[in-house]
Amino acid sequence: MNNSAFFRLQQLISPSLPIGAFTYSQGMEWAVECGWIKNADDLHCWLESLLQSSVQTLELPVLARLHHASCHQDREAFTHWAHTLLAWRETRELRTEECQRGHALTMVLDRLPDAANWPELQQPEWRDALAQTQLAGFALASARWDIELQQALNGYLWSWLENMVIVAVKLIPLGQSDGQRELYRFSDQLAAITQHALAMDDDDIGSSSPAMAIASCLHETQYCRLFRS
């Protein structure tokens, strides 16, 4: 990966990217409120479960297919996988988050100096797919910036994990040092998760995270909450 691609990947996965990632807890706020997550060990179990049952079996393989479709200008496949990802979101809260982050990232891409040279940003069919999920814009930008597929998946995986740990630091509350220890504990597993995602067949893609779905449903009506619903 060339230097420009490396730094643009850092821009895509930066917590400062204005897509509102920091405003969502993906059900964790309710899980903390009801006592499912009380400490660092509980957090580790929660995140490990989501990595195995959702991130490596849904988000990452779909991102890989969106990246491939972007590289080959295959609008039909791009649209299919963007809608597929959204269809797997089990709650109104998760679906709303997906669309809002997709719309926000599209707006960021619209404001890039070379945005006029991206035909995908000018065509309604592509824009409809981009508005479905953040992964669509992430894949398109990665392809346009010559970010290698595996590195794009690694970057997205790290950004998801980092954001979830930041959420936990605010909610449990978890100390900053404990948060860093959690990131460190997962770092040896992440490459294997990416490899597993890359090896998946289309028919095996999917998610089964009932605890997160229940937590997200109940978070929608949680009386007092810090994170967006």
Side-chain angles (χ1 to χ4, degrees), residues 3-4 12 26-27 61 64 122 161 194 220:
N3 288 337
S4 294
L12 276 177
Q26 298 185 359
Q122 321 307 322
L161 181 62
T194 299
E220 291 177 2

Side-chain angles (χ1 to χ4, degrees), residues 5-228:
F6 173 81
F7 289 114
R8 285 173 177 169
L9 176 58
Q10 308 317 303
Q11 184 176 3
L12 276 177
I13 68 175
S14 171
S16 67
L17 190 70
I19 59 172
F22 68 93
T23 65
Y24 297 100
S25 75
Q26 298 185 359
M28 191 189 296
E29 185 164 20
W30 189 86
V32 171
E33 176 72 16
C34 76
W36 287 1
I37 302 176
K38 300 182 292 294
N39 51 47
D41 288 338
D42 292 343
L43 172 67
H44 187 85
C45 291
W46 179 266
L47 295 179
E48 188 171 47
S49 175
L50 291 179
L51 284 168
Q52 294 175 356
S53 65
S54 180
V55 178
Q56 77 171 354
T57 60
L58 178 63
E59 283 96 326
L60 292 182
V62 168
L63 177 56
R65 284 153 178 79
L66 288 167
H67 187 281
H68 184 270
S70 298
C71 289
H72 292 84
Q73 288 289 291
D74 187 344
R75 182 183 58 78
E76 184 176 348
F78 190 83
T79 298
H80 167 76
W81 288 110
H83 284 277
T84 296
L85 188 282
L86 184 62
W88 273 101
R89 297 310 189 200
E90 304 99 322
T91 70
R92 181 178 61 179
E93 178 177 278
L94 293 174
R95 288 172 63 85
T96 300
E97 174 186 353
E98 203 67 58
C99 293
Q100 287 173 340
R101 289 171 70 166
H103 180 70
L105 183 52
T106 303
M107 292 179 63
V108 171
L109 299 179
D110 279 336
R111 288 166 170 76
L112 294 174
D114 60 346
N117 298 325
W118 293 28
E120 300 89 350
L121 296 177
Q122 321 307 322
Q123 299 173 16
E125 297 86 355
W126 283 87
R127 292 188 69 89
D128 176 67
L130 288 167
Q132 301 303 304
T133 169
Q134 173 196 351
L135 292 184
F138 192 101
L140 177 62
S142 296
R144 279 274 168 183
W145 293 337
D146 296 323
I147 298 170
E148 298 170 358
L149 174 58
Q150 186 167 338
Q151 295 305 316
L153 266 60
N154 285 340
Y156 176 82
L157 176 58
W158 179 259
S159 69
W160 177 87
L161 181 62
E162 184 178 32
N163 189 63
M164 289 295 97
V165 170
I166 291 172
V167 169
V169 167
K170 296 175 181 177
L171 287 175
I172 293 176
L174 196 71
Q176 295 285 349
S177 295
D178 286 336
Q180 291 302 309
R181 277 192 288 271
E182 277 307 303
L183 290 171
Y184 182 83
R185 289 177 69 184
F186 279 111
S187 58
D188 288 336
Q189 306 175 30
L190 301 184
I193 289 172
T194 299
Q195 290 302 316
H196 182 278
L198 287 169
M200 289 190 67
D201 294 328
D202 288 358
D203 291 341
D204 295 328
I205 293 174
S207 174
S208 178
S209 303
M212 181 179 71
I214 292 169
S216 176
C217 281
L218 294 172
H219 184 252
E220 291 177 2
T221 57
Q222 188 172 327
Y223 178 70
C224 181
R225 54 185 184 264
L226 294 174
F227 290 88
R228 194 170 180 177

